Amino acid sequence: MVGCGPAGATAARESARAGVRTIALERDAVVGEKRVCAAGLRPGFCETFDLPRSLVHCDTPRLALFDTNGDEHEVFFGPGHTSTREELDGTMAELAAREGAEVRTRALFRGIRSDGPRRHVIEYADLASGARRAIAARFVFFALGATARMEEPSFGSIAMPAWRSGLMTTLQYRVYTERPVAAIAYGSLELHYYSSANRRQIIAWMFPKRDHLAIGLGVMGKIDGNTLRAELEAFTQRVRARLYPNAGIVAVKTEGHLLYGGRARPSMADGDVLVGGTAAGLVDATNGEGIFEAAMSGRFAADAVVRAVRHGERAGVRYAALIERRFARRLAHRVRLMRYLERRPRRYALLFAQLARTPGLGEVLLKEDCERTMSERLYLYREALRFGFRTFACRD
C-alpha cells in the first residue's frame, strides 16, 4: 500500500488478517497528522469497518444545507458522525499493525517500475535516513489521496492526464472557543453553496468536533492565497454570528490542502496495480465525501488480492468490477448533478427544499444503486423528474 489513510489502512488491515504479507508506506511521521479534512463519517461507519466508537467526536443527525441566498434547509438522517483525521487514520493504521501489517512512516513514494510479469518494484525515500529504498511486491495498491501524481506511463492504464482539472483548493480553520458554542452546532453538519465575488462556485462547511469547530471552504481549480483566505474569513464571520457570537476565541489553526471533485479514474487497475480512495477519484462531487468510499475501496483491494493468492483470480479484474458495481454509477451521477446546479445556482435552493420536505429521500440517496430495491429506484426516478421539471426553466 502506498498511503496509509482510510483506503490504505483498511487494505493493510484486512489483507494482513487474511495472511498476506503486507507493507504500507506512509510519508508522514505520524499517520494522519497532516490530513486536512472536515472528517464527517456517514451513519454506521464505525460498525461497517469495525472501528472503536471512541474516535467519534459528535453524533450529527441534522444536515443543514444553505443555498446561494443563505437560506437554511434541514435534512435529518443517520445520525452521521465527526472525528479528526489524526484519530481516524491513526486508529486505522494501529489496527492494521495489530493484524500484522508493517507500517513504514516517513516513506515518500518516488516511483514504480516493472520487474517481470508478477513483480513490481516501488521506490521510496526514507525521510528519516535520507536513503533511497525499494520494495518488490506482487500487488501494489495506490492510496495517495488528492495529491496523487499518476500521469506517467509507468502507471499504465490507471494514469489520468486530466486529473488536475478535478482538483479543488481548500482552506480550513480549526476554531477553539473558550466555552461551548450554540447547542445545535454539535448535532449538525453544515454545507454552504454560494458564489464568490468573482462568480466562482464555493462549497463551505462547518463540522463540530469535541473541542473545536472545523470551518472551511473549497474552490475548483487554483486560487490566489490571499483571495482564498479572505473568502474563508468572511465565511467564518457568518458562522460566528450564528453559532458563537459572544464566545471568546482561544486559538485558530489554519490548514490548507487539495481535495478532488471531478470524475473517477476511467481505469482502477492495471494488472496487479490497483488505485483506490481519493486517488481513484472516489469522491462525491456534491459534498466532498470520500472517507467511506476510500475505506470500502481498501476492503475491495484486500478481497481481490486474497482471492488472487488463494484461488488464482486476477486481482485487477475483480477489484475494478467491485468498484464499478458499488460506486461508478452514483459518483458519475453526482458529478453531472453538481455541474447542472453550478450552471444555474438558484437550482440549489430548489433541490434543498425538495430534500427538506421529503424525509425519506436523503436515506435512499445514501445507498448505492446496487443496494436499492426496485421500489426505491422508482422513487428516486420520480423525485428526479420532479426536480428536473421544477428547475428546467430556472434562471438567475
Side-chain angles (χ1 to χ4, degrees):
M1 272 65 64
V2 181
C4 198
T10 301
R13 182 186 184 187
E14 299 193 5
S15 58
R17 179 189 293 158
V20 177
R21 187 187 175 200
T22 303
I23 299 173
L25 303 180
E26 169 57 48
R27 66 180 180 181
D28 294 330
V30 177
V31 178
E33 69 173 346
K34 295 183 180 179
R35 310 280 199 267
V36 180
C37 179
L41 306 176
R42 65 165 56 187
F45 184 89
C46 291
E47 292 76 13
T48 299
F49 296 101
D50 190 22
L51 299 173
R53 279 279 304 178
S54 58
L55 62 81
V56 173
H57 285 214
C58 300
D59 291 314
T60 52
R62 178 177 179 270
L63 176 61
L65 298 168
F66 291 78
D67 61 34
T68 54
N69 297 319
D71 294 331
E72 182 178 359
H73 307 263
E74 284 187 321
V75 179
F76 291 92
F77 69 103
H81 318 287
T82 65
S83 185
T84 63
R85 291 298 295 273
E86 301 99 291
E87 290 175 76
L88 178 65
D89 294 19
T91 298
M92 296 177 88
E94 180 183 345
L95 292 172
R98 288 183 191 176
E99 294 289 354
E102 180 183 349
V103 179
R104 298 184 186 180
T105 56
R106 303 193 68 185
L108 178 63
F109 170 74
R110 304 302 295 173
I112 180 174
R113 56 184 170 84
S114 176
D115 190 24
R118 304 179 73 178
R119 180 182 168 95
H120 307 280
V121 177
I122 292 291
E123 297 179 343
Y124 71 97
D126 182 340
L127 300 180
S129 67
R132 185 87 171 222
R133 303 192 185 281
I135 301 177
R138 178 177 170 186
F139 306 98
V140 180
F141 180 52
F142 284 103
L144 292 162
T147 58
R149 297 289 183 268
M150 303 173 69
E151 293 87 7
E152 297 177 3
S154 59
F155 291 102
S157 63
I158 63 177
M160 182 179 177
W163 175 256
R164 294 176 183 271
S165 64
L167 292 176
M168 299 177 66
T169 303
T170 70
L171 192 65
Q172 177 175 274
Y173 288 158
R174 295 189 181 193
V175 179
Y176 298 83
T177 57
E178 62 183 4
R179 61 175 183 270
V181 303
I184 196 172
Y186 296 104
S188 303
L189 303 178
E190 290 189 4
L191 291 172
H192 301 245
Y193 300 79
Y194 60 95
S195 298
S196 65
N198 61 0
R199 304 293 294 174
R200 297 186 70 170
Q201 190 63 39
I202 289 176
I203 302 177
W205 60 85
M206 187 292 299
F207 283 21
K209 304 304 168 74
R210 190 178 295 123
D211 58 351
H212 67 277
L213 300 180
I215 302 174
L217 55 79
V219 183
M220 289 298 296
K222 292 185 178 180
I223 184 172
D224 173 75
N226 291 332
T227 302
L228 185 63
R229 186 178 293 273
E231 289 286 356
L232 180 55
E233 275 294 333
F235 174 66
T236 301
Q237 292 308 312
R238 294 200 298 274
V239 174
R240 181 173 188 175
R242 289 186 300 105
L243 300 180
Y244 56 105
N246 301 314
I249 307 301
V250 175
V252 176
K253 180 181 178 182
T254 304
E255 306 169 314
H257 197 52
L258 294 174
L259 292 179
Y260 187 77
R263 295 186 179 277
R265 289 183 186 271
S267 176
M268 298 289 168
D270 187 338
D272 292 331
V273 178
L274 321 176
V275 58
T278 303
L282 302 179
V283 179
D284 188 327
T286 63
N287 57 24
E289 179 191 7
I291 294 176
F292 174 82
E293 289 83 353
M296 192 59 73
S297 74
R299 173 165 290 174
F300 291 160
D303 172 83
V305 166
V306 170
R307 291 181 70 91
V309 171
R310 293 179 178 175
H311 307 295
E313 294 187 21
R314 296 168 64 187
V317 172
R318 178 170 177 80
Y319 175 73
L322 289 170
I323 292 291
E324 173 74 21
R325 180 172 181 268
R326 185 66 186 255
F327 295 126
R329 186 169 180 174
R330 174 175 63 85
L331 295 183
H333 176 263
R334 296 298 170 84
V335 172
R336 292 194 297 271
L337 174 60
M338 195 62 182
R339 302 300 172 257
Y340 180 74
L341 295 171
E342 289 172 342
R343 286 196 293 271
R344 296 282 187 270
R346 285 182 59 192
R347 291 169 175 165
Y348 285 103
L350 297 174
L351 175 61
F352 297 164
Q354 185 171 341
L355 285 168
R357 66 171 178 264
T358 316
L361 183 54
E363 296 287 350
V364 177
L365 285 172
L366 276 176
K367 297 181 179 181
E368 305 301 333
D369 189 63
C370 61
E371 299 174 311
R372 295 174 184 139
T373 65
M374 182 58 68
S375 62
E376 287 174 331
R377 294 180 188 180
L378 292 173
Y379 170 69
L380 277 185
Y381 290 139
R382 186 189 71 190
E383 292 299 318
L385 284 172
R386 285 180 58 201
F387 176 65
F389 282 130
R390 295 177 66 233
T391 60
F392 181 74
C394 185
R395 295 290 184 269
D396 288 300

